[in-house]
Amino acid sequence: MGKILLVVVLLISSFTEYAQNYGLYFNEGANNNQEVTGIDLTGRRSFKIADEFTVVFDLQLRSDRQTKFGYILRIIGDKGANLGIIYDNFSEGKNDIVLIAGQDFTSISLDINDLNLIDQWGQIRLEVDLVQDIASFIIGDTLCTAVNIGLRGQHLFNFFFGANSMSNFETTNVPAMNVRDIYLQIDNKRELHWPLNEHSGNFADGGENHRKALVTNPVWLAIRHIEWEFEEKDSYPGKIALEDLYFHKFHKDTLKQEKLLFPDSLWHYAFASDPLKSNYYIFGGFNGKAYRNSMLEYDSNSSRWNEIEAGGSAVTPRYLSAMGIDDSGDSLFILGGYGSKSGNPLLNPHFYSDFWAYSIQDSVFSKLFDYEEGFGTHAFGRTMIIDSIENCYYALKFNPLSKNTKLQLIKGNLRNPKWNIMADPVPYSFIPEKSDIALFYHAGDKKMFCLTSYYSDSLDQTILKSYSLYYPPGVPLEIIQEQASVRRMWIWIILIILLDTAVLVIITVRKRRFKHDEKKESEYVPGFFSKDLLENNWKSDDLDKETVLPDNRIYLLGGFQFYLGPDQEISGKFSPILKELFLLILLYSSQDENGASVKKLLEQIWGDMSLKNAKNNLSVNINKLRVIIGPEMSELLVHVSGYWKFDLSDKKDLVFCDFWETWRILRSENRSNEVQILNLIHLTKRGGLLLNTNYEWLDSFKANISNEIIDLLVEYSEQHNIKDNLELYLNIADTIFLFDMINEHAVEIKCKTLVALGKHSMAKDTYNAFIRDYKMLYDEDFPVPLKELIS
C-alpha cells in the first residue's frame, strides 16, 4: 500500500510545474480609479471569529510602482474598527510597509528595501489575538508586535486586498503589487485558502472551502505567461534584417551606429548574439542555390562576417534552424532545420530533428542527440533562448509548408531529447523569400518577444510585428486542464483501491444513478409544452399563457429586455456601448462554444481607436457590465484564451433567454415533432430578433435565425396534413409572417386553413392583403390566384 501511495505522490507532484506562475496583478489605477484591482474575501457573509485569526499571503511589490501609498490588506470589524497593512511612500522619508489600527499608525513600520519584496515573492503573516487585542506581523525573519489595536469586542469581519467599495471604508488607493496564496485561519479550527491561480473571470476559487472571493478589475498573472500579447506593428524603409530591428527596438540608436550588415543573399540562417561581449554569430542558411553549414562571426572592426573553420562532427547543410548562446558566452546550440546532406536542394532535402553544440573557444561542433519523437514537418525561428540555470532552451517551431501557419513556443532540455509545448500559438503567414521569425528575451521587462518581419516589394518597407510573453512561459491552458483531469483520474483510482467492497458497491450504485441522470439530461428538450398538453387538446390561448420561468430573464426576440429578479428590469441601465458589447458576447456565444474573440469585440466597437485604448475601453466596460448584471450572472461571463463568453449552456434553472432556447430547438435532433413546433411558436410570438436594434454585424444573426425558423415551420407543414391540426397551422402561418411578411408558403397555409375552417371571407381578406404587400415590395402582381392557391 505504501508503494501505491508513493506512486500517487509522484504523479501528483509532476503537475506542480504547471502552477508556478500564478497570482493576481493589482492595477494601481494611476490614470483611472475605476480600473483599480481589489479582492473581497468575504462576499455576502462576514467571517464570524471568536478569539483569533491569522492571515498569510505571498506579496510581491513591483518596481514600476507609481502610487505613493495604498492598502495591501484591510480588515474591517462589525462595529467599525479596522486594521490595515499599507504601503507608505507618502509620508516624509517613508518607503515602508506599515500596520495601521483605525485612524492611527501602530509601532510596526518596515522599510521595503530591507524586506526583499521588490520584484520577488515574500510571505506576509498577520496574527491577531482578539482577546488580548494584539497583532503580530511577520515577514521572513522579522517579527513585530502591536498592542491595543482596537479589535477587541468585534466578532464579524470583512477582509479586503487592494481596493474595496464597502460603505464608509471605500478606497481606490492601491500599491503596485502582486498577491497569491491567501490563507485565512479562524480560531485555530477553520482554514481557508485562495491560491489565486485562475486564468480568467472575477472570482477566485476557495477550493474545498467553497468560499469564492470576488475580484474587481482582475489581471491574472497565469494568463500572462500563456497568452502572447500583441505589442505593436512598425514599418521601416528598405529591407532590414530582423536582428537589426530587434536591437533598434530595445536600443534605439542601433540602426544608426551598430547596424550589422547581415548578408542579403542568405535566407533563414540561424542567429545568436552575446551583446555583453559584442559577439554575433550566423549558422547555415540558403543562398538560393544551396544549403549552407558554415559558422560566421561578426568582426566589428571591419564590419564584416568572417567564416570560422570548425572541427568536430560535420553538421549537414540546412536552413530554418534555431541557434542560441549560453549565459557564459562559451557555447552555441543549434536545433533542427531543413536541408540535405550535399547541400543541393534537389537531392533528398528533408527536415532534421537533431540538437548540436558548438564550442566557441575550440571552434568544434558536437552532436548532443536526436529527438526520437521528431518535430515532423516543422522548422524553427532563427533564434533560441538558452536558460543555463534551468538547463533548457526555448524556440519557435512552425510548418514552413503552409503559408498560414502558427508559431508554437517549445521548451527543450539541453541534456536530453525532451521537449514540451509552451504558451498559446501565434498566427503567422510564412513567405520564404520575404518573412523572418526570431525569439528574444529582454531581462529588463522579464519578457520573451516573438518578432516577425515581412518585406514588401511594392512599398519597399520592412514590416515588423512584435508579441510579448511574461517569462518563464506557462503550459497552454488546454494542457493544464487535460493534466488536471488526469490527476483527478488517478486520485479516484487510488480511492477505489483503498475502499472496501461495501463502498465499491455504493459507488457502483451511484455511478448507475449518475448515468441515468446524465441520460435524462441528454434527452432534455428546451421548451414549455409537453406530450401531456397534446393529450389534453391544447388551444391557441395556451400559447399566450404565462410560463413559469427563472427570475433572471433575457428577451431578444421582439426587442431587448433584461430582468434581474422577478420584477427588476435593468434594460434601461445599458448604455449604447454596454448594450452592443453584451449582445455581441451573448449572440456569438450561442453560435460558437468559444464565444466572441477579443479581436472581434475591439474591431466592432472600438475599431477607430488605438489597440491600447481599445483594450482599456473593453476592460472598463466589461467591469461596468458585471456591475449591472450582478455577481450571480457575472459568473456566467467568462474570459478564456482570448475569448469572452456568456455561457448559458447548462444554466436553464438560473436564467432564461428566448433566443438561446430558440436556437436549442433549431439545433435539436427531434426539432420536427409537434411539441417542439409548439415551443418554437411560443418563443417567437414577440417577433424577430432585436427588431429596433441595428448594427452591421447583427444583420447576419437576424437573417440566420429568420431563415432557420421559416425553414423548420415550412418543413413541418409540408410533412403533415393541414386538416389534422387546423389551429396549429394557423399559428405556423402567423409565425412565419412575423419573420417574412411576403412569404408564399405562409399565405398558402393560412388561406387553406381558413377555408377548411369555413372562414372564406377571412381567407380572401388575408389573400388580398398579401397581394397588396407583394405588389408594393416587388412592383409586380402575385402570379397565383386565390382559387389556385387553396386548391
Side-chain angles (χ1 to χ4, degrees):
M1 184 63 69
K3 290 182 179 179
I4 293 175
L5 291 177
L6 176 60
V7 171
V8 176
V9 171
L10 292 175
L11 282 168
I12 293 174
S13 66
S14 68
F15 300 107
T16 57
E17 65 175 289
Y18 299 146
Q20 291 174 350
N21 308 306
Y22 64 95
L24 185 66
Y25 175 105
F26 280 71
N27 192 336
E28 30 179 349
N31 301 315
N32 187 345
N33 286 338
Q34 293 183 342
E35 297 179 359
V36 294
T37 303
I39 305 177
D40 179 0
L41 297 183
T42 313
R44 298 177 181 177
R45 293 176 289 120
S46 301
F47 291 104
K48 186 175 182 180
I49 305 175
D51 300 318
E52 60 185 10
F53 64 84
T54 300
V55 184
V56 182
F57 59 94
D58 288 349
L59 176 69
Q60 182 183 74
L61 295 173
R62 302 196 301 272
S63 56
D64 62 348
R65 55 190 178 279
Q66 302 178 41
T67 49
K68 297 296 184 182
F69 67 96
Y71 276 90
I72 297 172
L73 168 65
R74 196 169 196 184
I75 304 164
I76 302 171
D78 55 328
K79 298 179 182 178
N82 66 97
L83 191 70
I85 301 175
I86 67 169
Y87 164 68
D88 181 10
N89 191 30
F90 180 78
S91 304
E92 186 175 354
K94 291 281 189 180
N95 190 22
D96 298 348
I97 288 181
V98 179
L99 184 71
I100 61 172
Q103 301 185 39
D104 299 315
F105 290 97
T106 68
S107 58
I108 298 177
S109 181
L110 302 173
D111 191 327
I112 65 170
N113 295 311
D114 300 330
L115 301 176
N116 296 321
L117 292 174
I118 301 175
D119 291 330
Q120 55 185 321
W121 293 101
Q123 190 180 81
I124 309 292
R125 185 180 185 91
L126 178 66
E127 300 177 351
V128 175
D129 187 328
L130 298 176
V131 178
Q132 300 295 324
D133 207 26
I134 295 174
S136 297
F137 190 63
I138 305 166
I139 303 181
D141 298 329
T142 303
L143 169 63
C144 306
T145 303
V147 299
N148 300 323
I149 57 175
L151 294 188
R152 182 186 286 122
Q154 315 273 318
H155 293 292
L156 294 175
F157 291 90
N158 292 353
F159 291 80
F160 301 98
F161 284 82
N164 85 82
S165 58
M166 186 173 179
S167 180
N168 298 324
F169 295 95
E170 302 97 332
T171 182
T172 56
N173 297 314
V174 177
M177 65 179 182
N178 303 330
V179 173
R180 70 182 182 189
D181 278 324
I182 301 172
Y183 291 88
L184 175 60
Q185 187 172 20
I186 299 173
D187 294 328
N188 279 321
K189 296 178 181 178
R190 185 183 180 193
E191 184 176 280
L192 301 97
H193 177 210
W194 296 267
L196 303 183
N197 57 2
E198 281 73 16
H199 296 79
S200 63
N202 284 74
F203 294 91
D205 191 1
E208 294 180 0
N209 61 61
H210 302 297
R211 188 89 180 231
K212 290 188 176 182
L214 176 64
V215 185
T216 55
N217 299 312
V219 182
W220 298 106
L221 291 177
I223 203 67
R224 302 180 111 190
H225 294 263
I226 294 174
E227 288 186 351
W228 291 91
E229 181 178 0
F230 179 69
E231 291 270 327
E232 58 186 344
K233 178 180 178 181
D234 295 317
S235 59
Y236 300 84
K239 189 173 185 179
I240 306 175
L242 183 54
E243 294 78 16
D244 274 329
L245 295 178
Y246 167 74
F247 294 133
H248 174 65
K249 180 177 175 64
F250 293 101
H251 310 282
K252 296 300 183 183
D253 59 347
T254 299
L255 279 180
K256 298 178 182 178
Q257 298 181 12
E258 295 184 22
K259 191 172 182 181
L260 300 182
L261 300 175
F262 289 88
D264 292 335
S265 60
L266 201 59
W267 302 347
H268 301 296
Y269 48 79
F271 172 80
S273 67
D274 184 359
L276 295 178
K277 298 180 181 179
S278 295
N279 291 340
Y280 306 94
Y281 303 91
I282 281 177
F283 170 77
F286 181 65
N287 61 10
K289 297 180 179 179
Y291 307 116
R292 298 171 57 88
N293 63 346
S294 55
M295 180 69 74
L296 306 180
E297 183 177 18
Y298 186 72
D299 184 347
S300 57
N301 293 322
S302 63
S303 298
R304 293 181 58 185
W305 291 91
N306 298 320
E307 185 171 343
I308 303 172
E309 292 187 9
S313 302
V315 185
T316 52
R318 64 188 66 191
Y319 77 156
L320 293 172
S321 300
M323 185 163 66
I325 190 167
D326 65 5
D327 295 342
S328 65
D330 297 331
S331 298
L332 295 167
F333 297 91
I334 300 168
L335 171 64
Y338 183 83
S340 66
K341 185 175 182 179
S342 65
N344 189 327
L346 301 179
L347 298 178
N348 191 30
H350 59 279
F351 292 94
Y352 289 97
S353 295
D354 49 8
F355 196 71
W356 294 78
Y358 175 80
S359 171
I360 294 174
Q361 181 177 355
D362 300 329
S363 300
V364 171
F365 283 104
S366 59
K367 187 175 183 178
L368 299 184
F369 44 78
D370 286 295
Y371 290 91
E372 295 177 2
E373 295 182 5
F375 299 100
T377 56
H378 282 88
F380 299 90
R382 61 180 55 180
T383 56
M384 272 196 298
I385 296 172
I386 306 296
D387 188 331
S388 299
I389 296 176
E390 297 293 331
N391 283 304
C392 70
Y393 68 83
Y394 295 95
L396 290 167
K397 74 180 183 74
F398 67 101
N399 182 357
L401 304 182
S402 173
K403 178 182 177 182
N404 295 315
T405 180
K406 292 181 179 180
L407 301 177
Q408 178 62 65
L409 182 69
I410 64 169
K411 177 183 180 181
N413 194 298
L414 295 178
R415 296 176 178 173
N416 56 63
K418 293 182 179 180
W419 62 278
N420 295 298
I421 296 292
M422 306 299 290
D424 288 342
V426 177
Y428 178 63
S429 295
F430 178 67
I431 302 176
E433 299 86 353
K434 298 181 179 181
S435 55
D436 277 313
I437 310 151
L439 179 70
F440 296 97
Y441 173 69
H442 191 256
D445 293 330
K446 294 185 178 179
K447 290 180 180 180
M448 306 173 81
F449 286 87
C450 166
L451 304 182
T452 66
S453 67
Y454 172 77
Y455 175 68
S456 171
D457 292 309
S458 59
L459 299 175
D460 189 26
Q461 287 184 344
T462 300
I463 299 167
L464 175 72
K465 290 183 179 180
S466 60
Y467 304 82
S468 67
L469 183 75
Y470 277 80
Y471 190 87
V475 176
L477 189 57
E478 289 183 3
I479 295 180
I480 293 174
Q481 292 169 340
E482 179 182 336
Q483 296 289 359
S485 177
V486 172
R487 178 181 177 183
R488 288 192 295 269
M489 179 190 72
W490 276 102
I491 292 173
W492 276 110
I493 290 173
I494 300 306
L495 285 175
I496 292 172
I497 292 174
L498 296 175
L499 292 174
D500 58 23
T501 305
V503 177
L504 286 174
V505 171
I506 295 173
I507 290 176
T508 303
V509 172
R510 288 181 176 176
K511 281 187 175 180
R512 288 175 179 172
R513 185 178 301 168
F514 172 77
K515 288 181 179 179
H516 177 70
D517 293 342
E518 187 177 44
K519 183 178 180 182
K520 287 175 62 178
E521 177 66 21
S522 67
E523 293 174 350
Y524 163 73
V525 178
F528 311 94
F529 297 99
S530 65
K531 292 179 180 178
D532 293 338
L533 181 67
L534 298 180
E535 292 170 358
N536 288 299
N537 299 319
W538 68 274
K539 301 296 182 185
S540 286
D541 291 345
D542 292 323
L543 294 173
D544 298 322
K545 290 180 180 178
E546 289 297 324
T547 307
V548 177
L549 296 172
D551 290 340
N552 303 313
R553 305 186 304 282
I554 304 168
Y555 294 101
L556 303 185
L557 299 178
F560 175 61
Q561 285 184 294
F562 195 138
Y563 289 89
L564 197 63
D567 301 309
Q568 181 186 359
E569 184 178 0
I570 62 171
S571 317
K573 295 183 179 180
F574 286 79
S575 66
I577 287 180
L578 281 180
K579 180 180 176 182
E580 184 173 7
L581 176 63
F582 173 72
L583 293 175
L584 262 167
I585 296 173
L586 179 60
L587 291 175
Y588 273 94
S589 298
S590 71
Q591 312 291 294
D592 186 335
E593 63 180 12
N594 294 318
S597 68
V598 169
K599 181 180 178 182
K600 173 70 69 175
L601 298 175
L602 298 180
E603 287 177 351
Q604 295 295 347
I605 305 179
W606 298 284
D608 56 343
M609 292 186 180
S610 68
L611 182 62
K612 182 178 180 180
N613 288 340
K615 285 185 175 181
N616 287 337
N617 272 277
L618 174 59
S619 177
V620 169
N621 281 281
I622 285 288
N623 287 308
K624 288 181 179 178
L625 182 58
R626 291 190 186 280
V627 172
I628 290 176
I629 66 178
E632 188 177 41
M633 296 292 286
S634 288
E635 290 194 47
L636 308 183
L637 182 60
V638 295
H639 180 258
V640 178
S641 300
Y643 286 80
W644 279 100
K645 179 179 181 180
F646 203 78
D647 188 4
L648 305 183
S649 55
D650 58 350
K651 300 295 187 296
K652 58 182 182 294
D653 295 329
L654 173 63
V655 59
F656 163 80
C657 176
D658 57 357
F659 177 83
W660 201 281
E661 296 294 337
T662 299
W663 201 252
R664 278 177 172 175
I665 291 175
L666 295 172
R667 287 291 173 263
S668 63
E669 293 182 0
N670 58 345
R671 67 178 200 159
S672 293
N673 64 43
E674 187 171 338
V675 174
Q676 293 292 58
I677 296 299
L678 283 169
N679 288 325
L680 184 66
I681 292 171
H682 182 82
L683 283 164
T684 57
K685 64 184 180 183
R686 287 161 44 97
L689 177 63
L690 296 166
L691 293 179
N692 298 317
T693 303
N694 296 295
Y695 308 115
E696 186 175 341
W697 59 264
L698 184 58
D699 292 342
S700 62
F701 284 95
K702 290 184 175 183
N704 286 342
I705 194 168
S706 295
N707 291 336
E708 292 260 5
I709 290 170
I710 292 171
D711 289 347
L712 175 56
L713 294 176
V714 170
E715 174 189 330
Y716 180 87
S717 65
E718 290 177 342
Q719 292 175 352
H720 298 80
N721 192 324
I722 288 179
K723 295 180 180 179
D724 292 341
N725 197 330
L726 297 174
E727 196 154 4
L728 173 60
Y729 276 84
L730 276 179
N731 282 283
I732 287 176
D734 288 338
T735 301
I736 294 175
F737 278 138
L738 287 175
F739 295 91
D740 181 5
M741 60 181 294
I742 309 298
N743 186 281
E744 297 178 27
H745 290 285
V747 71
E748 179 182 352
I749 294 169
K750 188 161 187 176
C751 288
K752 283 183 176 180
T753 306
L754 290 171
V755 169
L757 289 169
K759 301 178 180 180
H760 296 274
S761 61
M762 291 182 66
K764 186 174 182 179
D765 291 342
T766 299
Y767 177 80
N768 289 337
F770 177 84
I771 62 174
R772 182 177 63 251
D773 293 338
Y774 188 95
K775 173 72 172 179
M776 185 180 301
L777 183 63
Y778 295 114
D779 194 26
E780 61 182 54
D781 295 328
F782 182 60
V784 183
L786 177 59
K787 186 176 180 179
E788 182 180 334
L789 188 70
I790 61 177
S791 61

